[in-house]
Structures are given as C-alpha cells and as structure tokens.
Amino acid sequence: MKKIQKIFQYAYIVFAVLFIYDAITKWSEDRNGAFISLALSALAVFMFFFRKRFSRKFDDHNKS
C-alpha cells in the first residue's frame, strides 16, 4: 500500500511536467489554453507537496 502511494505521489510531478510541456506548445497559438495548462501544472505541484507532507505526518503519527 505504501509503495502505491509513493508512485501516485510522484505521478503528480510527471503530470506537472506534461502540463508545462503542453503550455509551452500552446503558448503561441492559444494563450488561454496555455494558462489553463500552467494552472493545472501548479495544482499538480501543490498536490505533490501536500501528499508528501500528509504522508510524512501520517507515518510519524503511526510511529508514536
């Protein structure tokens, strides 16, 4: 179970990179679509750090 959570945690970073790539390719032709992709990449990075912090907090709670 813990290994699956780690995989999904790092999947957020993969999605962030994909959304940034998508924003770069859309930038010259569709700025609104590029801004949406940038917002989604920022959300994915936020979710990565949120899940990492929550997982660490959960592990510390189980150890004590």
Side-chain angles (χ1 to χ4, degrees), residues 15-47:
F15 281 115
V17 169
L18 290 175
F19 282 126
I20 289 171
Y21 173 76
D22 186 49
I24 290 170
T25 57
K26 287 182 180 178
W27 189 260
S28 63
E29 56 196 44
D30 183 22
R31 288 269 167 108
N32 288 335
F35 285 128
I36 291 171
S37 292
L38 287 174
L40 288 173
S41 68
L43 179 65
V45 169
F46 169 77
M47 286 300 296

Side-chain angles (χ1 to χ4, degrees), residues 37-56:
S37 292
L38 287 174
L40 288 173
S41 68
L43 179 65
V45 169
F46 169 77
M47 286 300 296
F48 168 76
F49 287 113
F50 178 78
R51 294 285 300 232
K52 189 172 184 171
R53 182 173 179 251
F54 185 77
S55 176
R56 191 177 319 132

